[in-house]
Amino acid sequence: MFSLEGITNFIHEWLNSHLSAIFALLAEFVLVGVAAIGLFAFLGLVLVWMERKVAAVMQLRLGPNRLGPKGIFQTSADTLKLIMKEALTPDNADKLLFNLAPFVVIIVAMLILAPISFAKNFQIWDINIGVLYVTAISSLSVIGVLMAGWSSGNKYSLLGAMRSGAQIVSYELSAGLSILTIIVLTGSLKISDIVASQENGWWIFKGHIPAIIAFVIFIIASTAETNRAPFDLAEAESELTAGFHTEYGGMKFALFFLAEYINIFIVCAIGATLFLGGWMPFHIGHWVAFNHIMDYIPSSFWFFGKTGFLIFLIMWFRWTFPRLRIDQLLNLEWKYLLPISMFNLLLMSVMAIMGWYF
Amino acid sequence: MSASAIIFYCISTFILLTGILSVTTRKIFRSSIWLLFSLVGIAGLYFWMDMNFIAAVQIIVYVGGIVVLIIFSIFLTQKAGEQMPKAITGRKVFSILSVLAGLAFIYRVISLNEFHPNTTTVVNANVSEIGTQMLSTTEHGFVLPFEAISMLLLAAMIGCIVIAIKSKPE
Amino acid sequence: MFLKEYFLDIYKATKSLLTGMKLTGYYFTHHKEILTEEYPENRKNLQLAERFRGEVIMPHDANNEHTCTGCSSCEIACPNGSIKIISKFDITPEGKKKKAIDQHIYHLELCTMCGLCVEACPTDAIKMANTFEHSVFNRNHLIKRLNKPGSKIREGIEE
């Protein structure tokens, strides 16, 4: 059976038998880094293509359809074009910070990748504060946006950065509370423990009403945290001509663009891990035969399938809903999402104490 | 020198360098960004010590909270992009002197303290351990300070609401 | 009362969001709703709307007759001067001189397809055709003469 665990074990043993321990470790670091960058490039190409196709079909268009079957190579061609473009730095920009900002954004995205469990026993770093680590590091991504917006020396960029800051700082709260709702049930922040606790059913089914409310809040808050429509006030093309990355071009723009999609992937992966069981196959109670068939599907397929479904959901939001105004955005967070998620957390705690979940 | 020590010196150099840059740069926004890098470096040091929870909290509270607030207030000021005037030489001398005095004091305290490398007991920094300790009423429990801080935060929140509340037109 | 409104708000918002998602979801799953025309492939059976404005033409009937009187209304109506009427004087059987069209010159390269000439024409001599593949290698090919050589005005139009 296809499993990523076997491949990693084989590489680990092969390296250790040919190199000394410290060089084997260094070689593994390099391999992990290369794999992460490869995943980034792959995700960037595929998700952008997917977004354009989804957008097109929802707007009764065809989308990219010339380069390759169904236009699958369109994004590769776009990347090539972006590489060829001139990397321009505006005259009254703060040169150092302007050039640093895209790298901060992409490095933060890369750091969040560490604790995510892609398949059974296939994880870069099973840190014991897993989910908290993700929440902490993702709060760093706002810094890149603020740096980009301020150092561009442009009032639209500054406005975009400020909106983005206000948005991310406020939506982090309800995202964190909805994550906590599930942590109450698992009793551990470690990603592998969270996945293992869903062996006999995913939390969205086992935790029923509060888990579903938490899931909805998590999806809304994470859409807002990744600056996606309908919460894309930070870039708002029609008002701010792209907001914080107005002045960027070429590969530096591509890094921002890539980071957006990587962040979507990461929040969806976290959502899939917390609510939909990560790489756990779909099991129904005591249907032994059914469960056995489900076990035959490799765990990586389950993980990427669930993540892909959530990504599709977020894209569906983007191409359906109109953009919010800044006051509506803050109202939604402080008057609706935050109180609801607080009560939801209380409800879940009561449920966890009384044992009212499956 | 072991690999672990090399990593420690790298992180410390990073923290010190960004710290010095944050006080010497003449652009206020850059200063806050260097401060931010310095705080991230301290979080890295916590990670190096395997104190993951503290590191994550350091990032959430200082980087995600306080520095973002500082940056916001910089955005709201006028002329945030201009260079600050150079400091007066007299002030510079005094600040350097006070820094040296502080350094000497801390060095003295550290050198007087005898460190006993503790290799037998490993500090358990699990989140659940920290949580139990935080709410335990036994001898080394932190329930009293925890509750006191909760009260303080509650008072601060109520104060904010009172300040921000709209007075109804009579 | 406040709580009731609060939850009613949430209910209404969720409902309206779901309504929107239902529509886009319907479009996503029903690909036959797609409106895009894939142009070079479907060139053979391309259906353009009746109101599509491609270029100005002057219809001629089987006897090589048109209905243009050479009144220059279209030339006056054209906002960017893409029509030029060259008129001549015919001798009627009664021996009188009569104004008639010699050449109706149409500059396609200047035309914005606004259709004001068609509206201005009193005798419906010109109309908009829905051809649109106008690219040529020489700019001079875009200057067209709309009335065919040897054509004349149909009887009974000028009365």
Side-chain angles (χ1 to χ4, degrees):
Chain A
M1 205 167 96
F2 172 78
S3 100
L4 292 169
E5 189 188 355
I7 299 170
T8 47
N9 284 343
F10 170 75
I11 292 173
H12 182 74
E13 276 160 27
W14 189 85
L15 281 173
N16 274 312
S17 62
H18 286 75
L19 297 166
S20 64
I22 194 151
F23 281 106
L25 192 67
L26 280 178
E28 278 172 12
F29 280 166
V30 172
L31 277 180
V32 165
V34 170
I37 292 170
L39 181 75
F40 273 27
F42 175 75
L43 281 177
L45 295 180
V46 170
L47 289 182
V48 174
W49 176 78
M50 178 177 160
E51 168 110 274
R52 291 179 65 176
K53 272 298 194 193
V54 169
V57 178
M58 282 184 179
Q59 296 173 343
L60 305 182
R61 297 184 285 116
L62 280 172
N65 59 348
R66 295 286 161 185
L67 208 58
K70 300 241 167 213
I72 189 96
F73 298 122
Q74 181 65 48
T75 44
S76 318
D78 287 345
T79 315
L80 202 66
K81 184 202 79 173
L82 283 170
I83 290 172
M84 304 254 198
K85 275 194 165 183
E86 183 188 0
L88 194 83
T89 309
D91 237 5
N92 59 347
D94 190 328
K95 303 265 182 314
L96 175 76
L97 296 182
F98 184 83
N99 290 316
L100 196 62
F103 295 100
V104 170
V105 170
I106 204 87
I107 287 171
V108 166
M110 203 179 257
L111 283 175
I112 311 176
L113 211 61
I116 289 171
S117 176
F118 293 96
K120 199 175 184 179
N121 296 330
F122 188 77
Q123 198 172 0
I124 298 174
W125 187 22
D126 195 9
I127 182 172
N128 63 2
I129 53 159
V131 181
L132 184 68
Y133 172 87
V134 172
T135 326
I137 302 290
S138 65
S139 71
L140 278 175
S141 65
V142 64
I143 299 298
V145 172
L146 290 174
M147 270 166 78
W150 187 83
S151 63
S152 295
N154 168 336
K155 61 188 168 199
Y156 291 122
S157 305
L158 190 62
L159 271 177
M162 286 198 66
R163 285 182 180 189
S164 166
Q167 182 177 328
I168 293 179
V169 168
S170 42
Y171 276 81
E172 233 165 41
L173 291 170
S174 47
L177 281 177
S178 56
I179 288 174
L180 273 184
T181 313
I182 296 302
I183 301 301
V184 167
L185 290 176
T186 60
S188 169
L189 293 165
K190 204 171 179 175
I191 298 271
S192 55
D193 286 353
I194 292 171
V195 176
S197 70
Q198 305 182 60
E199 198 175 359
N200 53 353
W202 305 345
W203 280 124
I204 195 163
F205 302 130
K206 284 202 290 181
H208 50 90
I209 300 165
I212 290 169
I213 297 175
F215 179 69
V216 172
I217 290 173
F218 178 81
I219 289 290
I220 295 173
S222 54
T223 314
E225 270 199 82
T226 47
N227 283 333
R228 296 269 302 175
F231 302 100
D232 62 343
L233 295 120
E235 31 187 285
E237 278 168 357
S238 47
E239 313 161 25
L240 300 178
T241 64
F244 62 89
H245 56 65
T246 305
E247 301 288 350
Y248 286 88
M251 227 31 217
K252 279 185 267 177
F253 164 74
L255 285 182
F256 276 114
F257 200 60
L258 183 64
E260 182 189 333
Y261 285 93
I262 302 297
N263 283 332
I264 293 166
F265 174 79
I266 287 165
V267 294
C268 290
I270 296 295
T273 307
L274 285 169
F275 296 95
L276 303 179
W279 49 261
M280 275 295 172
F282 182 66
H283 283 174
I284 298 179
H286 301 292
W287 298 11
V288 180
F290 178 80
N291 293 349
H292 212 66
I293 293 168
M294 285 294 160
D295 284 339
Y296 266 101
I297 302 174
S299 54
S300 52
F301 280 39
W302 279 106
F303 175 77
F304 282 102
K306 289 168 191 174
T307 313
F309 168 71
L310 290 183
I311 292 172
F312 170 71
L313 205 63
I314 283 183
M315 287 180 179
W316 193 353
F317 292 159
R318 173 163 184 180
W319 299 107
T320 306
F321 303 142
R323 184 183 305 133
L324 272 75
R325 264 196 334 256
I326 185 86
D327 60 322
Q328 292 169 333
L329 177 99
L330 294 177
N331 265 351
L332 175 67
E333 163 64 16
W334 295 101
K335 290 192 178 166
Y336 293 93
L337 293 186
L338 192 63
I340 291 173
S341 48
M342 276 177 170
F343 276 107
N344 195 36
L345 181 59
L346 267 179
L347 185 65
M348 186 57 109
S349 314
V350 171
M351 264 181 55
I353 293 165
M354 307 296 275
W356 286 341
Y357 60 93
F358 302 112
Chain B
M1 203 154 58
S2 67
S4 165
I6 294 173
I7 293 171
F8 170 76
Y9 284 116
C10 284
I11 296 173
S12 324
T13 326
F14 178 76
I15 295 169
L16 289 177
L17 205 71
T18 47
I20 290 168
L21 276 173
S22 88
V23 291
T24 50
T25 184
R26 281 170 59 205
K27 284 184 177 167
I28 187 154
F29 184 75
R30 274 199 192 185
S31 163
S32 66
I33 291 292
W34 292 131
L35 174 67
L36 177 136
F37 280 134
S38 176
L39 292 169
V40 171
I42 292 170
L45 208 56
Y46 287 136
F47 273 121
W48 176 81
M49 289 190 277
D50 220 7
M51 294 290 165
N52 296 329
F53 182 74
I54 309 291
V57 169
Q58 161 90 9
I59 289 179
I60 290 179
V61 172
Y62 284 99
V63 180
I66 289 177
V67 174
V68 170
L69 275 182
I70 291 175
I71 290 176
F72 255 78
S73 38
I74 289 173
F75 277 1
L76 292 174
T77 55
Q78 283 184 319
K79 299 178 184 175
E82 284 170 24
Q83 293 218 328
M84 313 261 281
K86 264 189 182 161
I88 309 159
T89 328
R91 265 188 220 165
K92 249 187 207 169
V93 170
F94 278 111
S95 47
I96 288 169
L97 277 179
S98 59
V99 165
L100 286 178
L103 205 65
F105 176 70
I106 289 167
Y107 181 78
R108 174 85 181 140
V109 170
I110 290 173
S111 63
L112 281 181
N113 187 16
E114 283 171 33
F115 289 99
H116 302 288
N118 189 346
T119 47
T120 46
T121 55
V122 179
V123 181
N124 193 347
N126 263 339
V127 185
S128 48
E129 283 294 319
I130 293 172
T132 341
Q133 195 72 18
M134 201 77 97
L135 291 178
S136 78
T137 47
T138 54
E139 197 180 342
H140 292 292
F142 286 92
V143 72
L144 188 65
F146 185 81
E147 291 300 326
I149 288 171
S150 314
M151 283 304 290
L152 182 72
L153 287 177
L154 187 66
M157 268 165 71
I158 293 171
C160 287
I161 292 168
V162 168
I163 290 170
I165 206 162
K166 274 182 203 158
S167 53
K168 274 185 187 160
E170 301 283 319
Chain C
M1 204 59 221
F2 166 74
L3 269 184
K4 192 186 153 197
E5 257 173 49
Y6 185 82
F7 285 110
L8 207 63
D9 268 357
I10 295 173
Y11 171 72
K12 278 182 189 161
T14 320
K15 202 179 147 194
S16 70
L17 291 181
L18 286 179
T19 314
M21 283 181 71
K22 201 177 134 198
L23 185 71
T24 41
Y26 173 79
Y27 287 151
F28 187 78
T29 44
H30 292 70
H31 285 218
K32 62 176 184 294
E33 298 269 347
I34 289 175
L35 298 168
T36 310
E37 302 264 350
E38 288 187 271
Y39 163 57
E41 283 87 359
N42 70 352
R43 197 174 167 198
K44 290 260 163 49
N45 44 13
L46 188 66
Q47 291 285 323
L48 284 172
E50 195 60 34
R51 60 182 183 181
F52 180 80
R53 300 198 288 242
E55 66 171 328
V56 178
I57 55 162
M58 185 182 286
H60 288 65
D61 64 8
N63 306 326
N64 204 11
E65 287 175 338
H66 55 77
T67 61
C68 178
T69 58
C71 68
S72 302
S73 293
C74 48
E75 186 180 348
I76 295 161
C78 185
N80 40 355
S82 54
I83 293 176
K84 180 75 191 157
I85 307 288
I86 300 170
S87 48
K88 63 181 179 188
F89 288 97
D90 280 348
I91 310 293
T92 52
E94 292 97 63
K96 277 187 195 164
K97 279 215 270 185
K98 192 183 134 234
K99 199 181 175 191
I101 183 106
D102 182 26
Q103 284 180 10
H104 187 290
I105 305 294
Y106 168 54
H107 290 266
L108 179 56
E109 80 272 25
L110 296 178
C111 182
T112 59
M113 322 295 173
C114 65
L116 288 176
C117 50
V118 177
E119 277 177 37
C121 185
T123 55
D124 290 337
I126 49 177
K127 65 169 197 171
M128 302 298 284
N130 52 14
T131 51
F132 62 96
E133 292 162 322
H134 293 311
S135 55
V136 285
F137 283 104
N138 191 337
R139 188 185 299 182
N140 292 331
H141 294 315
L142 291 172
I143 302 167
K144 297 184 179 183
R145 185 186 161 187
L146 292 189
N147 57 334
K148 288 181 186 161
S151 65
K152 60 180 195 296
I153 186 162
R154 197 178 297 150
E155 289 295 319
I157 292 295
E158 278 172 302
E159 272 83 54

